Amino acid sequence: MRYPTLPLVILGACLAACNAGTAGNQAEPEANTSVARAPDGREYISQPLVTEIFTADPSAHVFDGKIYVYASHDIDAGIADDDLGNQYAMRDYRVLRMDRIGGPVTVGPVALDVKDVPWASQQMWAPDAAYKNGTYYLYFPARDRTKDKNGIGAFRIGVATSKNPMGPFTPEPNYIPGSFSMDPAVFTDADGTSYMYFGGIWGGQLQRWKDGVYDPNGSDTDLMQDDKPAISGKVVKMNTDMKTFAEPVRDAVILDEKGNPILGGDHDRRFFEAAWVFKRGGKYYYTYSTGDTHFVNYAIGDNPYGPFTFKGHILKPVQGWTSHHSIVEWNGKWWLFYHDTQLSGKNHLRNVKVTELKFNDDGTIPTIDPFR
Ligand code: FUB
């Protein structure tokens, strides 16, 4: 199993933007969003937020009434798709800002570059941000400088700070002690306590941390134990410095409707990557991507650590292999930020979008189809 390329029919969506990406170059999309339909004729429900650069993995936050999106900055490094997601070879972050949903989007300058992070070697994957006491914190995964059997390092999670939500951010000299894997998402509860949710299987390497120690020769995919509890995403309380963990990392367990852990073979429901937590009506919504089945799911718990009971799909599969999202309340409504590959037709050159998220009276979420 791998992060596969899309079928040719999807590649048919590729506009001139596809040709912009030659090996070693930082491809940028052309500002052509005239095609609002996927190759199979389905109409997208929303359009890319920006077309100047490729963006993915949007973590949206409201700071001082404005909406900031901390996203991956996709580039074409000329690397073929593989099991570990090496084609996602991002090197820096750019922050997006908008005064209102649907308004103009400002693309900030480089907020953090991998060359300025002492411990990191490559692959600046999905970031998140937080604010506390006058400082903005950017959390980001990257491979460290060790080498495994494939000549690459283990994923760790770093933190960088700035007085400006757009950056530039200054990285700490080392990764967060005790951190591993990728896709950090920081949730701050009403009492001011912050928690980091993180992890991803396959290229995100969680399966290599089975016994709490990194196994460089571990599986590239999952544990191949379909009848056993699935690998859990992780959760940990942050210290008030927002730069260190306050306790040992725990499992964010997802249960089925009978209270049993979701099994590894249940690919439509099990955790893969892209955790994001929000609170509504006193409940904690643990949301995540299922990876190879391409859903964004949600599960609900009574406290930040879970366990979380599986409830359903938030988002059906988008165009492209990965699905990664965030959910934020702004101006009395809830919004789902997500990505697809409308601009490029290539899995690793994605574009961020937003659409409204509704709730039923009982707190459940009607599933969104990214196509009409
Ligand atoms: O952008 C690289 C990786 O793809 C992210 O970290 C995952 O969540 C997936 O979107």
Side-chain angles (χ1 to χ4, degrees), residues 7-335:
L8 283 178
V9 67
I10 302 293
L11 291 178
C14 185
L15 305 177
C18 289
N19 299 322
T22 49
N25 286 342
Q26 297 202 10
E28 307 295 2
E30 293 193 351
N32 182 352
T33 56
S34 59
V35 177
R37 290 181 188 278
D40 61 9
R42 291 182 297 168
E43 187 183 344
Y44 304 105
I45 59 166
S46 57
Q47 291 297 305
L49 283 181
V50 296
T51 56
E52 301 98 299
I53 59 172
F54 289 111
T55 54
D57 309 323
S59 291
H61 289 273
V62 178
F63 295 134
D64 272 340
K66 293 186 173 57
I67 302 134
Y68 294 85
V69 182
Y70 299 84
S72 297
H73 175 198
D74 283 356
I75 57 169
D76 192 344
I79 298 171
D81 285 15
D82 66 19
D83 290 355
L84 299 167
N86 281 312
Q87 65 275 23
Y88 300 98
M90 299 83 96
R91 293 197 282 262
D92 62 26
Y93 297 109
R94 313 265 307 261
V95 183
L96 313 182
R97 183 186 65 221
M98 60 196 104
D99 290 344
R100 61 182 174 84
I101 307 271
V105 181
T106 300
V107 180
V110 171
L112 181 67
D113 192 305
V114 68
K115 71 177 169 41
D116 299 321
V117 183
W119 59 268
S121 63
Q122 63 193 79
Q123 283 170 296
M124 302 288 264
W125 282 13
D128 192 22
Y131 170 80
K132 193 162 269 183
N133 298 333
T135 299
Y136 294 89
Y137 298 83
L138 179 71
Y139 300 96
F140 59 96
R143 293 188 191 275
D144 70 18
R145 293 177 182 240
T146 62
K147 300 276 186 238
D148 67 10
K149 63 179 180 183
N150 299 300
I152 52 177
F155 267 110
R156 302 283 186 171
I157 296 170
V159 58
T161 57
S162 177
K163 292 296 176 189
N164 186 328
M166 299 293 275
F169 289 85
T170 304
E172 292 295 299
N174 206 347
Y175 53 78
I176 296 174
S179 72
F180 55 94
S181 196
M182 43 66 128
D183 285 3
V186 173
F187 162 75
T188 299
D189 209 344
D191 66 358
T193 308
S194 296
Y195 303 84
M196 180 182 286
Y197 299 83
F198 66 91
I201 61 174
W202 294 26
Q205 302 176 334
L206 264 190
Q207 70 280 355
R208 294 187 178 187
W209 289 90
K210 197 157 53 86
D211 304 313
V213 177
Y214 183 66
D215 174 5
N217 298 310
S219 168
D220 288 347
T221 55
D222 51 34
L223 294 179
M224 309 299 178
Q225 295 179 334
D226 286 359
D227 57 346
K228 299 231 168 37
I231 300 170
S232 292
K234 305 298 173 190
V235 53
V236 61
K237 188 195 289 186
M238 307 285 298
N239 280 318
T240 52
D241 66 4
M242 297 295 276
K243 295 177 178 175
T244 51
F245 294 163
E247 59 185 5
V249 168
R250 310 182 191 198
D251 284 345
V253 174
I254 304 169
L255 304 176
D256 67 15
E257 63 286 354
K258 293 182 180 155
N260 300 315
I262 298 287
L263 300 182
D266 190 349
H267 289 211
D268 279 353
R269 299 197 295 177
R270 65 99 165 82
F271 171 84
F272 189 100
E273 63 188 6
W276 180 267
V277 168
F278 66 95
K279 192 176 181 183
R280 183 179 182 275
K283 300 288 186 188
Y284 297 80
Y285 287 69
Y286 181 75
T287 70
Y288 59 96
S289 166
T290 63
D292 58 341
T293 53
H294 318 294
F295 290 108
V296 171
N297 285 351
Y298 73 109
I300 295 181
D302 293 323
N303 70 76
Y305 292 114
F308 304 96
T309 301
F310 178 82
K311 291 293 176 186
H313 303 316
I314 293 176
L315 182 66
K316 290 183 180 176
V318 296
Q319 179 182 313
W321 200 93
T322 64
S323 199
H324 191 127
H325 67 293
S326 62
I327 292 166
V328 66
E329 187 179 19
W330 182 79
N331 215 15
K333 292 184 174 179
W334 289 83
W335 301 92

